[in-house]
Amino acid sequence: MAVSEGRRRRYSLLTRRDKLVLALMVGIPVFFDLALIWGPTIVSILLSFTNWKGIGGISASNIVGLKNYESLFTVYPFFWSALRNNLLWLVFFLVIATPLGMFLAVLLDREIRGSRLYQTAFYLPVVLSLAVVGFIWELQYAPEQGFINNVLGRTGQGSLIDWLGDPSLNIWAVLVAASWRHVGYIMVLYLAGLKSVDPVLREAAAIDGANARQTFFRVVFPVMQPINIVIVVVTMIESLRAFDIAYIINRGKNGLELLSTLITNNSISEANLVGFGSAIAVVLLVISLGPIVIYLTRMLREEAT
Amino acid sequence: MANTDTPRPPSSATSGTPNLTRRDVLKGIAGVAGVASVPTLLAACGTGASPSAAPSSAAPSGAPSVAPSSAAPIGGITLGSNYSDQVPKDAMQAIADAFTKETGLTVKINTVDHGTFQDQISSYLGGRPDDVFTWFSGYRMRFFAAQGLATPIDDVWAKVGSNYSDAFKVGSTGDDGHQYFIPIYNYPWAVFYRKSLFQEKGYTIPATLDELKALGDKMKRDGLIPIAFGDKDGWPAMGTFDILNLRLNGYDFHVGLMAGKEKWTDPRVKTVFQTWNDLLPYHQEGAPGRTWQDAAQALVQKKAGMYLLGMFVSQQFKASSEADLADLDFFPFPNLGTPYDAEKALDAPIDGFMIAKNSPTLAQDLDGAKAFMEFLAQGSTQIIFVTADPGNVAAAKDADTSGYNPLQKKAVELIGSAQKITQFLDRDTRPDFAGANGMQSFLLDFLKTPDQDLDAFLGKIQGFWDTLV
């Protein structure tokens, strides 16, 4: 034993101490990754095949197979609207909020007068938690006391606009509120990227006779490729984890259903349908895996080349 | 939870001061923010192990959890309280102090925001709960008793039983026939109005549905909203459903429906929604986006003539001024011309206390906890509470009602005259059925499109029920 170990040590580039350090450096993160991410994920998937109510142990009689998924896709009236709202959120952010944030960043990058002030103003909502944002906008949208209806003069019987109560309207009202914060977030990310673009590139483009628009789209935007990817990923994550505003406003019902609020209302509310909530969580997980896989494969491919 | 607010089942209404929602929202923020960060894996986080084996995982969210009680001081008990608003919180403390003074036993109160408390009740009771906890009568009580999470207190009831009417005893009894619950107060749901407004305009109290509609027409002509309404929180509309169903179809049908013995597709349920539809033109518009507090303000400001709500509506009047509170009055919901009018049934939800089963300190505290329950069953204790929050009336017979305000006196009379008492839709049926993504959503859907195909609508409700059982 001692001999073979000694021999191996002779051929190894690493000392025993190095190996120990390496093992710890790899082992501890792997342990936490397994325990805190993969463990709960797998338990969630397993729970989605049960009707466990969160009380007592789980026995064989709790296993219901695919019944949760079946009722989720067929009978449960809130699943499809939640899925639709999540996708709407994603599209709205990708098409409107994120480009708006990038546009503001480009404007502020031009060192216009008072740009610090604008920067602060746009960024201010980002430091607020979405729950606070929801609360602020709730007051704006309130039917009689709210700022918006009072400005529009639509507070009386017959003319009232029920911003948060009308299921065909409230998701848009909430998207505006969520974008209010998201735009500032994207702006700051993008502004940081713009600041790091080598000014020589712009100079060269100007010498070549490019106008501001051409400079941005032909030179700056392609150079910003890594930041662009980060921004797309951030937007997707923000859309999929959308939760706080809808939950604060009405716990995610009446047109504001989201997958995340359905999970919460089913799993950790008094209802305690842990199994059913887990099934919704698994659906959200599968949807989330899409962008994650795309992102990771891109990253790995870039590293490989 | 918070909710948030947030957003509250009716129990939330029982305690607290005006502007409950706004304050609650702020309170819930910490919790919601924590919850929000990991929505995908939420379901798994708290449930990886059986709750009793892993107390630390019992509170699944990052929310301000219902903290496991640390060891109680010797000669004391712990109390998990959902009275998180200042007025009832102070009242709870006053009750605890009075108990300590009388018995020398200390009461360590562990107050949790009531939305959070309700959301986490299962993991709380399955984990390391306090000795005694605040809770509600009805299905919500029987459910946890049936799960073996509450300690039967038949011996306490043997001592205090004579201090309660039969209705309260029924409301405290689990499915197995044992008592698990000590009521401290309840409050009626009725139609509230301002005496001065009725006097000024010469309105009279409607006794029938037709009179109610005629009064509504008159109010409209006078530029008033006949019936104030706000259903943003999802539960207030249940009060309207309950009273219509009780008057049209009777107590027995209502109870059967709540228990799943009757079907939602029954034509009798359809008549409830048809009658409701006839009344909707008299209701305040935009109810789905309005909180009950804002709807109550319409009544306070004399913009609306009537409001069907629980007596906690008085909080909004009290906050406005004592004169406004003195001007507030109510009448029972009008008769609908059915044989069930005679039952005079109404929602009068009961709040109270239970002893948890899994409390780690219960073995040494059980006698103290039972003594505390007996103390809570005394009228003098309950008066402390209902004096602080006069939207309620004491449950015990020996409560000294001489200090009641006129509203409270009338409430005692109204509840006393009812032959049948129900709790409230979300207290009388399964929480998973009544919740935000359940009955609350269905009723909001009805309010949005009252003219929809009711058979299809009721079919959806029954289909949802069937997935749960």
Side-chain angles (χ1 to χ4, degrees):
Chain A
M1 194 66 187
V3 176
S4 69
E5 206 178 324
R7 193 179 296 152
R8 205 185 295 154
R9 201 191 303 163
R10 217 181 303 145
Y11 287 106
S12 172
L13 288 167
L14 300 170
T15 63
R16 179 185 282 236
R17 194 189 151 86
D18 288 340
K19 281 183 190 161
L20 188 70
V21 169
L22 268 182
L24 283 176
M25 283 173 71
V26 174
I28 291 174
V30 165
F31 170 77
F32 280 113
D33 188 40
L34 288 178
L36 300 178
I37 297 182
W38 288 103
T41 307
I42 289 165
V43 172
S44 229
I45 294 171
L46 292 179
L47 279 174
S48 74
F49 300 110
T50 70
N51 63 4
W52 192 50
K53 290 277 174 73
I55 298 172
I58 303 182
S59 63
S61 64
N62 285 113
I63 297 168
V64 293
L66 291 172
K67 183 170 167 271
N68 286 333
Y69 293 94
E70 198 190 310
S71 46
L72 187 61
F73 294 132
T74 56
V75 200
Y76 195 58
F78 313 107
F79 174 71
W80 293 109
S81 57
L83 194 65
R84 199 196 56 218
N85 286 342
N86 264 89
L87 292 177
L88 190 66
W89 203 288
L90 181 66
V91 171
F92 189 89
F93 268 24
L94 275 179
V95 175
I96 295 177
T98 299
L100 191 62
M102 292 163 74
F103 178 66
L104 288 176
V106 172
L107 280 188
L108 289 176
D109 190 41
R110 299 174 70 91
E111 303 286 336
I112 46 174
R113 200 181 323 161
S115 72
R116 278 286 160 84
L117 189 75
Y118 291 125
Q119 214 168 312
T120 316
F122 289 127
Y123 190 65
L124 209 59
V126 183
V127 294
L128 301 175
S129 125
L130 266 171
V132 178
V133 174
F135 174 62
I136 291 172
W137 282 86
E138 211 178 349
L139 300 181
Q140 307 297 318
Y141 285 129
E144 275 99 13
Q145 275 93 341
F147 177 74
I148 296 174
N149 272 357
N150 277 295
V151 164
L152 298 176
R154 304 278 299 259
T155 54
Q157 286 280 98
S159 70
L160 186 116
I161 306 177
D162 194 2
W163 292 103
L164 296 178
D166 184 339
S168 54
L169 204 59
N170 54 11
I171 185 72
W172 300 104
V174 165
L175 281 173
V176 167
S179 301
W180 182 61
R181 181 174 181 274
H182 183 73
V183 165
Y185 187 23
I186 294 297
M187 182 198 75
V188 164
L189 281 181
Y190 211 67
L191 198 53
L194 284 172
K195 296 280 185 213
S196 66
V197 171
D198 192 343
V200 175
L201 288 172
R202 290 176 207 249
E203 263 171 53
I207 290 167
D208 286 346
N211 61 25
R213 218 173 123 251
Q214 285 169 323
T215 311
F216 177 74
F217 282 107
R218 300 283 175 78
V219 179
V220 177
F221 189 77
V223 171
M224 300 262 290
Q225 172 78 342
I227 300 280
N228 292 338
I229 292 178
V230 167
I231 283 188
V232 169
V233 170
V234 163
T235 302
M236 286 190 167
I237 291 172
E238 287 285 313
S239 313
L240 289 172
R241 46 156 265 170
F243 171 84
D244 329 41
I245 287 196
Y247 198 76
I248 279 291
I249 284 174
N250 68 5
R251 307 192 72 162
K253 59 175 183 275
N254 191 33
L256 292 186
E257 292 88 359
L258 291 169
L259 291 174
S260 53
T261 59
L262 288 191
I263 296 168
T264 310
N265 285 340
N266 278 296
S267 295
I268 63 165
S269 67
E270 205 187 324
N272 242 31
L273 297 174
V274 176
F276 189 67
S278 300
I280 307 173
V282 169
V283 172
L284 185 55
L285 176 71
V286 170
I287 296 172
S288 311
L289 280 177
I292 293 171
V293 167
I294 293 169
Y295 176 66
L296 280 183
T297 46
R298 266 196 95 99
M299 289 284 287
L300 293 174
R301 204 184 301 147
E302 268 168 25
E303 268 169 32
T305 53
Chain B
M1 103 162 17
N3 248 146
T4 260
D5 275 30
T6 24
R8 300 299 167 216
S11 40
S12 65
T14 65
S15 61
T17 45
N19 298 329
L20 189 77
T21 313
R22 288 174 195 173
R23 206 166 325 147
D24 272 1
V25 165
L26 285 173
K27 250 182 235 154
I29 280 167
V32 171
V35 169
S37 51
V38 282
T40 321
L41 301 170
L42 258 183
C45 287
T47 53
S50 89
S52 52
S56 61
S57 72
S61 65
S65 64
V66 184
S69 53
S70 51
I74 292 165
I77 60 164
T78 59
L79 166 68
S81 167
N82 65 355
Y83 292 116
S84 52
D85 289 297
Q86 204 55 47
V87 170
K89 191 178 170 186
D90 292 345
M92 200 62 246
Q93 188 60 51
I95 288 175
D97 292 343
F99 178 68
T100 306
K101 206 171 154 196
E102 191 174 295
T103 61
L105 296 168
T106 57
V107 180
K108 185 169 158 276
I109 301 181
N110 172 17
T111 303
V112 175
D113 164 71
H114 43 80
T116 312
F117 189 90
Q118 270 154 248
D119 286 341
Q120 305 196 338
I121 186 70
S122 290
S123 42
Y124 170 64
L125 292 179
R128 294 160 58 87
D130 299 288
D131 298 328
V132 177
F133 64 100
T134 53
W135 199 235
F136 318 111
S137 174
Y139 183 96
R140 277 174 154 174
M141 179 275 294
R142 298 199 304 274
F143 177 77
F144 292 109
Q147 304 290 326
L149 295 173
T151 304
I153 48 168
D154 298 24
D155 46 349
V156 176
W157 265 90
K159 289 181 200 160
V160 306
S162 60
N163 205 11
Y164 286 106
S165 69
D166 264 357
F168 283 111
K169 184 159 190 180
V170 170
S172 307
T173 304
D175 296 330
D176 57 2
H178 294 291
Q179 279 81 43
Y180 290 92
F181 183 82
I182 289 290
I184 65 162
Y185 63 76
N186 66 348
Y187 57 90
W189 277 65
V191 184
F192 288 81
Y193 69 96
R194 292 195 68 143
K195 285 182 278 194
S196 61
L197 184 74
F198 269 51
Q199 211 165 16
E200 183 190 321
K201 308 269 185 190
Y203 299 146
T204 49
I205 306 294
T208 65
L209 187 65
D210 290 335
E211 285 179 32
L212 180 70
K213 286 181 184 170
L215 178 60
D217 289 328
K218 214 186 276 179
M219 285 179 172
K220 274 187 178 174
R221 283 197 296 276
D222 291 342
L224 290 171
I225 301 161
I227 304 174
F229 197 31
D231 193 38
K232 183 150 171 286
D233 298 313
W235 49 262
M238 293 173 173
T240 311
F241 176 85
D242 280 355
I243 195 69
L244 288 173
N245 197 29
L246 286 170
R247 286 294 143 83
L248 285 167
N249 303 319
Y251 173 84
D252 290 333
F253 179 76
H254 185 72
V255 169
L257 186 65
M258 294 299 110
K261 286 176 193 137
E262 305 280 356
K263 297 277 183 211
W264 284 86
T265 44
D266 192 299
R268 283 176 283 184
V269 181
K270 199 173 163 184
T271 57
V272 172
F273 285 99
Q274 283 162 341
T275 311
W276 196 349
N277 195 1
D278 291 342
L279 283 174
L280 275 181
Y282 300 101
H283 282 70
Q284 194 174 11
E285 272 177 30
R290 187 182 298 108
T291 61
W292 70 261
Q293 289 93 339
D294 283 349
Q297 283 304 318
L299 194 67
V300 174
Q301 295 162 8
K302 299 191 181 178
K303 288 179 185 164
M306 300 174 274
Y307 192 12
L308 170 65
L309 203 72
M311 203 164 80
F312 50 81
V313 73
S314 62
Q315 292 166 2
Q316 293 289 313
F317 282 76
K318 198 182 178 203
S320 178
S321 75
E322 285 299 323
D324 285 329
L325 181 61
D327 193 32
L328 180 68
D329 198 1
F330 64 81
F331 56 86
F333 194 81
N335 289 332
L336 298 183
T338 69
Y340 306 109
D341 287 339
E343 286 181 350
K344 296 186 176 177
L346 64 111
D347 278 332
I350 307 167
D351 290 359
F353 293 81
M354 297 172 77
I355 299 181
K357 186 85 167 196
N358 290 347
S359 164
T361 52
L362 191 62
Q364 77 210 45
D365 295 348
L366 187 59
D367 290 339
K370 285 185 174 171
F372 186 57
M373 295 301 253
E374 281 174 41
F375 184 72
L376 289 167
Q378 293 169 12
S380 51
T381 311
Q382 298 176 2
I383 285 295
I384 297 175
F385 204 98
V386 300
T387 307
D389 189 359
N392 309 300
V393 292
K397 282 181 189 165
D398 71 345
D400 174 16
T401 59
S402 59
Y404 277 6
N405 66 26
L407 211 58
Q408 284 174 308
K409 283 179 181 151
K410 204 167 167 184
V412 172
E413 216 173 281
L414 179 68
I415 295 172
S417 70
Q419 287 175 21
K420 304 282 185 185
I421 302 256
T422 47
Q423 293 302 310
F424 194 72
L425 194 145
D426 69 2
R427 296 183 180 204
D428 282 328
T429 189
R430 311 167 53 102
D432 43 10
F433 177 70
N437 295 130
M439 208 54 206
Q440 290 187 7
S441 287
F442 289 121
L443 292 180
L444 281 162
D445 184 33
F446 168 74
L447 294 176
K448 166 74 184 156
T449 45
D451 295 318
Q452 64 181 298
D453 177 3
L454 285 176
D455 291 317
F457 169 71
L458 295 173
K460 256 195 299 185
I461 298 181
Q462 185 62 39
F464 179 60
W465 174 279
D466 291 339
T467 61
L468 296 172
V469 291

